[in-house]
Amino acid sequence: MKTAILSDVHANLEALSACMAHARRQGAARFAFLGDLVGYGADPLACLDLIRGEVARGGLAVRGNHDDAALGGLCEDFNFIARDSAYWTRAQLGAAEREFLAALPLQQRDGDALYVHASAADPAAWEYITGLLAARRCLAATDAAIVFAGHVHQPLLFYTSGDGVKSFGARSGVAVPLSARRRWLALLGAAGQPRDGNPAAAYALFDAAARQLTQHRVPYDHATAARKILAAGLPAMLARRLAYGE
Amino acid sequence: MATLWRAVGPDGTVRLLKRPKLGPGSHPACFAGFETERMVLARLVGPNVPALIAAGDDGPDDSGPWLLEEWISGPSLVEAARRAPLPETEVVRLGMAVATALHAVHRQNVVHHDLKPQHILFRDDGTAVLIDFGLAAHGELPDFAADAADGAREMPLGTPAYIAPEPLRGERGNPKSDIFSLGVILYLLATGRLPFGAPESRGGMRRRLWLDPPRPRALRPELPEWLQEIIMRCLAVLPENRYATAAQVAHDLAHPEQVVITARGRNLQGGGWRAAARRWWKTVTAPPPVRRAAAEQLARAPHVLVAIDTEHETAALAAAMRQVVRRAASADSLARITCVNVIDATLSAGQEEAAELERGQRTQRLMALHHWARELALAPERLRFHVLEGGDAAAALLDYAHTQHVDQIVIGARGSSALRRLLGSVSARIAAEAPCTVTVVRITA
């Protein structure tokens, strides 16, 4: 079975729809969402509607720090722009959306795979995996053979090698076999707010039978997503960055 | 690194079963090699590699991972290497088969990194099959073999007698490292000796970073200069001085008269201590290598075939075609341009007088090709000229494109419709049936 995995949708309906359509064409049977479903983008309700539908159909979803922020709290560790958008998002959510987000687990196990937003090592600490050490901590915290995580908005694959951990930047569209004798940490790029210089939405397709992971980049209508952000009165920088993937 | 089994299926088909040596005391690289082979073979197709039939992570009774591969029954190159020095024609035949197989693997973005006679088998039709991809590097997949070696900090990855200079420095994934190993094999077949012996220490291996091996013609004076030129160009210390692709090696072996002979082919001695000192200095001061995937490197060295109709082509069409060729040559500085013309051999077959005429015609056409290419102003090294024979020009060109790994064909469209009616459209058929990109050049009215 093929699972399409999307991280950091960030209420970007155009990116979410484009990725879902692409994944369906690639034969995805279900969807998994790695958190940060909302925040930054202008379409939290429409995105949550789509995501809830997929979860009801056997999909998976975990909670991210921006989902937490949309539910309440002071967001003290957020920068001003992120905080503004969190407060805006709070005002949009209805009871049903709040209930859905609040019920999401921080991590979810599915067979020998673990889905988490930031890191399996203390998921609620929202640690950014920016190097081999953090990747190693994440893998050490779980016995899952494969960990899927997001949060950093930059795709990178980590795997165990002897006593250490190595990293590998896979090209999009290339199926990488995840050898069963190693453990893997797949950091996914962001669907709704790419930051690696490429404005195309990122998601990955995991083929459990073949044990292969393919990262995809999907061009989408980021101009419309940006217009909606401006129209909603959200910080202009959140609209601008979508065009550059920064 | 693995145990090999001859597996016979219920229907009598024979396969090769490979299982890694696992368990306490086994080297981590053993399993990395097994994993790499499984991953790489799953990506490779074609007659030049064994087909991967199936693979699994665990066999019956917890017997561990396994690979089931096609059984290649033919002899290995070891048998020929034992008889070396071989006659020139056999060196060429074997060398072309190996170079062709190597190019097929490089085209699929894989560098073998352990090319040696033991890893080359032959099918009944003479096709070379490369086996054992345990040290291979795929341009788009993780490099497990390098990871394992990095952890162990041991000997370089490869076989001491055949390994190229740059993998000794830890560089991986350069297809030219395989071309160096191909040079060692050609040297062995031609002279019966290994150019650098079979050193056992790292220091012994590193000697090839600056010292030239004895020239093949110093060991066997009857060897032609062009063969030494080909071998020594494969064995160049710096990768950029080697052939850009294995296809170019095969092409030169197939057309020795076209090989441009330099001091490398003529001299009976190497560069002496001055050259050695220069190379040593270059080696110790060389910047860390930039890794480029094999497929990317090959893409920069395309083989462009220019089909030239010396009889009917107008000056305007010739100029337009040269413009296209010039663009291709400047876009890819390693592109090799082969100019060809086809003569109708069937007309003169069987008559002695006609044979004489044909020879004259061939020479005249070759001259015309050289004349055509003069205005390209390209280095002679990048140009090749051939007159093909055949009543059917399109078939002759297509056949050449297939056997010589052509990446692009440039051909002119026949301008006048009367001519097209009379002779048929060669370019249309080429465009439809070629195994590669075809550029049909037409003059805009």
Side-chain angles (χ1 to χ4, degrees):
Chain A
M1 183 176 61
K2 289 184 185 172
T3 306
I5 310 169
L6 284 77
S7 188
D8 300 271
V9 171
H10 283 297
N12 185 335
L13 181 62
E14 286 67 31
L16 174 63
S17 315
C19 286
M20 286 177 70
H22 186 277
R24 289 211 173 90
R25 283 199 300 277
Q26 303 288 316
R30 64 165 188 172
F31 286 83
F33 298 92
L34 295 183
D36 280 7
L37 311 176
V38 297
Y40 295 142
D43 276 312
L45 300 183
C47 287
L48 285 178
D49 202 37
L50 279 174
I51 293 168
R52 238 178 343 185
E54 289 308 326
V55 171
R57 270 190 287 278
L60 304 167
V62 295
R63 191 161 14 114
N65 51 324
H66 282 263
D67 306 320
D68 249 7
L71 287 171
L74 288 173
C75 309
E76 280 168 327
D77 53 341
F78 276 33
N79 60 39
F80 291 122
I81 287 174
R83 204 180 299 180
D84 283 354
S85 86
Y87 293 162
W88 179 88
T89 304
R90 267 181 212 173
Q92 310 298 313
L93 299 184
E97 285 84 23
R98 299 176 63 83
E99 199 182 316
F100 173 71
L101 286 179
L104 291 178
L106 286 179
Q107 50 184 339
Q108 199 167 343
R109 186 70 181 254
D110 179 56
D112 62 354
L114 179 79
Y115 297 83
V116 64
H117 178 62
S119 170
D122 196 1
W126 313 119
E127 180 189 12
Y128 288 90
I129 296 177
T130 51
L132 295 176
L133 276 177
R136 208 167 162 165
R137 270 198 301 280
C138 171
L139 283 168
T142 171
D143 62 351
I146 308 171
V147 180
F148 295 108
H151 194 45
V152 287
H153 292 225
Q154 303 254 11
L156 194 60
L157 201 54
F158 295 93
Y159 56 93
T160 55
S161 173
D163 299 329
V165 171
K166 300 269 178 185
S167 69
F168 176 72
R171 272 185 55 187
S172 60
V174 173
V176 178
L178 306 185
S179 161
R181 291 261 156 179
R182 295 170 191 270
R183 298 179 58 229
W184 299 80
L185 164 59
L187 284 188
L188 270 65
Q193 197 195 70
R195 289 183 199 159
D196 58 354
N198 179 357
Y203 84 97
L205 202 61
F206 179 58
D207 182 340
R211 257 188 120 76
Q212 287 190 338
L213 183 73
T214 312
Q215 314 202 28
H216 289 288
R217 292 313 282 262
V218 185
Y220 74 99
D221 182 4
H222 56 73
T224 296
R227 260 197 305 275
K228 287 182 180 174
I229 287 173
L230 293 176
L234 283 159
M237 187 266 200
L238 293 175
R240 269 202 309 274
R241 70 188 308 173
L242 293 183
Y244 304 105
E246 282 166 358
Chain B
M1 64 178 54
T3 54
L4 303 178
W5 307 72
R6 187 173 181 273
V8 185
D11 58 346
T13 49
V14 180
R15 309 279 196 219
L16 177 77
L17 180 67
K18 238 181 187 183
R19 295 171 54 199
K21 288 180 186 155
L22 291 176
S26 79
H27 195 282
C30 292
F31 191 74
F34 181 81
E35 232 178 344
T36 303
E37 169 141 286
R38 174 177 175 180
M39 191 170 71
V40 169
L41 270 189
R43 293 296 195 89
L44 289 173
V45 293
N48 303 111
V49 291
L52 178 66
I53 314 284
D57 290 311
D58 209 356
D61 308 323
D62 282 342
S63 53
W66 53 273
L67 283 181
L68 198 61
E69 297 176 17
E70 175 190 7
W71 180 271
I72 313 283
S73 56
S76 91
L77 190 63
V78 174
E79 184 264 331
R82 264 194 216 113
R83 289 186 285 111
L86 301 174
E88 182 190 309
T89 50
E90 213 179 336
V91 176
V92 166
R93 182 177 61 81
L94 294 169
M96 274 169 57
V98 177
T100 299
L102 193 56
H103 188 66
V105 166
H106 287 170
R107 262 190 167 170
Q108 298 176 69
N109 217 348
V110 172
V111 178
H112 188 283
H113 275 304
D114 201 11
L115 192 69
K116 56 181 174 181
Q118 289 84 338
H119 289 164
I120 300 163
L121 304 180
F122 290 94
R123 295 187 190 273
D124 294 338
D125 65 354
T127 306
V129 181
L130 308 189
I131 60 164
D132 203 334
F133 287 83
L135 293 184
H138 190 292
E140 292 181 336
L141 295 174
D143 192 350
F144 296 142
D147 294 341
D150 187 33
R153 297 233 169 270
E154 280 174 14
M155 293 297 274
L157 293 169
T159 301
Y162 298 89
I163 193 170
E166 61 282 358
L168 286 173
R169 296 174 52 210
E171 183 186 336
R172 299 258 308 155
N174 188 341
K176 291 193 179 184
S177 305
D178 284 344
I179 289 175
F180 185 94
S181 305
L182 173 62
V184 175
I185 291 169
L186 290 172
Y187 190 106
L188 173 66
L189 296 178
T191 67
R193 281 179 50 176
L194 285 165
F196 309 100
E200 285 174 8
S201 67
R202 188 184 272 267
M205 275 185 255
R206 285 180 67 88
R207 286 166 62 85
R208 74 195 60 180
L209 267 63
W210 50 86
L211 287 183
D212 274 323
R215 293 292 192 256
R217 292 190 332 109
L219 301 172
R220 255 186 93 193
E222 71 273 25
L223 285 177
E225 290 182 342
W226 59 262
L227 186 54
Q228 174 168 310
E229 177 77 32
I230 293 174
I231 294 173
M232 294 311 291
R233 192 161 164 209
C234 291
L235 291 178
V237 177
L238 296 172
E240 58 266 34
N241 294 339
R242 284 176 222 150
Y243 281 97
T245 64
Q248 290 188 358
V249 181
H251 193 233
D252 276 7
L253 285 168
H255 308 290
E257 75 287 350
Q258 297 269 326
V259 176
V260 181
I261 313 272
T262 67
R264 201 163 35 201
R266 270 192 305 271
N267 293 355
L268 294 180
Q269 276 179 350
W273 66 270
R274 265 176 217 278
R278 232 183 356 255
R279 275 192 218 127
W280 175 83
W281 179 246
K282 268 201 161 165
T283 324
V284 296
T285 56
V290 183
R291 186 166 170 181
R292 278 204 188 83
E296 200 186 319
Q297 289 217 35
L298 257 59
R300 294 162 67 226
H303 186 186
V304 181
L305 184 74
V306 193
I308 299 158
D309 184 352
T310 50
E311 304 307 288
H312 305 102
E313 204 169 276
T314 63
L317 182 60
M321 284 177 72
R322 275 193 292 266
Q323 185 64 35
V324 170
V325 174
R326 249 195 303 269
R327 259 181 236 139
S330 60
D332 295 302
S333 59
L334 298 172
R336 173 176 284 197
I337 315 289
T338 299
C339 302
V340 293
N341 175 257
V342 186
I343 54 173
D344 191 346
T346 51
L347 294 177
S348 49
Q351 303 157 31
E352 237 173 82
E353 210 172 310
E356 184 70 29
L357 266 172
E358 192 198 311
R359 258 197 304 282
Q361 197 187 12
R362 280 181 74 90
T363 315
Q364 184 256 322
R365 293 284 177 92
L366 258 181
M367 292 304 171
L369 288 179
H370 277 272
H371 180 73
W372 190 95
R374 248 182 71 82
E375 280 181 46
L376 289 173
L378 287 173
E381 176 41 48
R382 301 182 64 188
L383 283 163
R384 296 290 188 274
F385 303 93
H386 293 291
V387 176
L388 307 175
E389 284 175 17
D392 181 346
L397 290 167
L398 286 168
D399 182 57
Y400 189 86
H402 267 288
T403 53
Q404 297 304 328
H405 318 285
V406 169
D407 299 290
Q408 185 189 358
I409 300 174
V410 176
I411 187 168
R414 281 197 177 119
S416 100
S417 54
L419 212 56
R420 229 179 359 248
R421 255 201 316 281
L422 186 68
L423 299 168
S425 173
V426 177
S427 60
R429 214 178 121 201
I430 300 270
E433 296 175 28
C436 60
T437 299
V438 178
T439 305
V440 179
V441 182
R442 180 168 285 129
I443 303 291
T444 37

